[in-house]
Amino acid sequence: GDSVTQMEGPVTLSEEAFLTINCTYTATGYPSLFWYVQYPGEGLQLLLKATKADDKGSNKGFEATYRKETTSFHLEKGSVQVSDSAVYFCALREGNTPLVFGKGTRLSVIA
Amino acid sequence: DSGVTQTPKHLITATGQRVTLRCSPRSGDLSVYWYQQSLDQGLQFLIQYYNGEERAKGNILERFSAQQFPDLHSELNLSSLELGDSALYFCASSGSSGVNQPQHFGDGTRLSIL
């Protein structure tokens, strides 16, 4: 079945550092790919999405590009802030099926 | 605000008891999904309903059941509770138009079994 593998955390960065969180997937068809973020004590929020190969999703300075050839959807941000500290989940979805999530990566940004 | 409402936010109960978690989807969304988030298992899909009918089942225990009502709200019933059922339970909803649409999550219900 479909699956998502993302880098294990925790990841600790200093403010203004560059962030990359790796995500690769396995799917039988042509999924859409998503990054969700979970801030402490809150639910999951959609951060960005991409629905087809070579699409780039972006939001709040975060970006991820749908790479079909490498089956990847790595999350990047050029300059992280303390307020970006959260758990980040990579996920995929085919059609109207439930989301398949990676295990999540905890990011801590220190001032 | 995702538009998905879950109640209650917190629930504390004892082993062997039964609880009901409630979810109101975003206006117009026909699909409702339930997920369980625990420290050791991560985010696990439990069950999906679409316009009142069960659409997909994931890792849902037989002690758990759910339903979606005509007004599209959904309830997740957990019975014969065990310590290991302590977790965050999320509801998500998505629209019917277009495939591969994102799901929108509520803030979750934190269930603590004592």
Side-chain angles (χ1 to χ4, degrees):
Chain A
D2 295 354
S3 66
V4 174
T5 303
Q6 60 182 106
M7 63 186 287
E8 293 191 18
V11 174
T12 303
L13 295 174
S14 298
E15 211 166 18
E16 298 184 6
F18 185 86
L19 168 72
T20 300
I21 300 178
N22 290 337
C23 170
T24 57
Y25 68 91
T26 303
T28 52
Y30 302 95
S32 286
L33 302 174
F34 307 90
W35 277 100
Y36 282 82
V37 58
Q38 186 177 25
Y39 297 103
E42 299 184 13
L44 278 75
Q45 300 176 24
L46 178 65
L47 182 59
L48 54 84
K49 69 174 184 177
T51 57
K52 61 183 188 299
D54 300 325
D55 266 3
K56 177 186 281 189
S58 61
N59 186 25
K60 299 181 182 179
F62 291 89
E63 292 183 341
T65 301
Y66 190 144
R67 301 283 188 205
K68 195 166 185 295
E69 63 276 12
T70 55
T71 62
S72 65
F73 193 54
H74 304 321
L75 182 68
E76 296 182 336
K77 186 174 186 182
S79 175
V80 293
Q81 305 299 312
V82 172
S83 57
D84 294 326
S85 298
V87 181
Y88 293 82
F89 292 91
C90 184
L92 68 78
R93 187 181 189 201
E94 293 198 68
N96 288 316
T97 58
L99 285 164
V100 175
F101 285 95
K103 291 190 180 298
T105 302
R106 182 177 299 279
L107 170 66
S108 295
V109 181
I110 53 178
Chain B
D1 182 11
S2 68
V4 178
T5 304
Q6 287 188 248
T7 56
K9 290 194 182 307
H10 302 279
L11 206 44
I12 302 173
T13 188
T15 54
Q17 297 298 306
R18 172 190 169 93
V19 296
T20 298
L21 312 184
R22 183 189 169 100
C23 169
S24 294
R26 287 191 322 160
S27 176
D29 283 356
L30 299 180
S31 282
V32 169
Y33 308 78
W34 286 96
Y35 293 86
Q36 179 193 59
Q37 185 180 35
S38 59
L39 282 174
D40 54 343
Q41 294 292 322
L43 266 165
Q44 298 281 318
F45 165 68
L46 296 177
I47 197 163
Q48 175 195 358
Y49 278 83
Y50 176 81
N51 202 21
E53 294 190 4
E54 182 183 302
R55 179 61 64 93
K57 241 180 180 176
N59 300 320
I60 188 166
L61 299 172
E62 284 191 11
R63 300 183 285 109
F64 296 0
S65 64
Q67 58 185 132
Q68 186 179 26
F69 294 86
D71 67 352
L72 301 178
H73 92 271
S74 177
E75 293 182 356
L76 178 67
N77 300 295
L78 315 177
S79 61
S80 302
L81 287 168
E82 302 175 0
L83 292 176
D85 298 328
S86 295
L88 259 175
Y89 292 84
F90 287 108
C91 168
S93 72
S94 67
S96 59
S97 59
V99 296
N100 293 340
Q101 293 302 303
Q103 294 172 15
H104 299 271
F105 284 75
D107 287 340
T109 293
R110 183 173 294 279
L111 176 63
S112 299
I113 312 299
L114 302 181

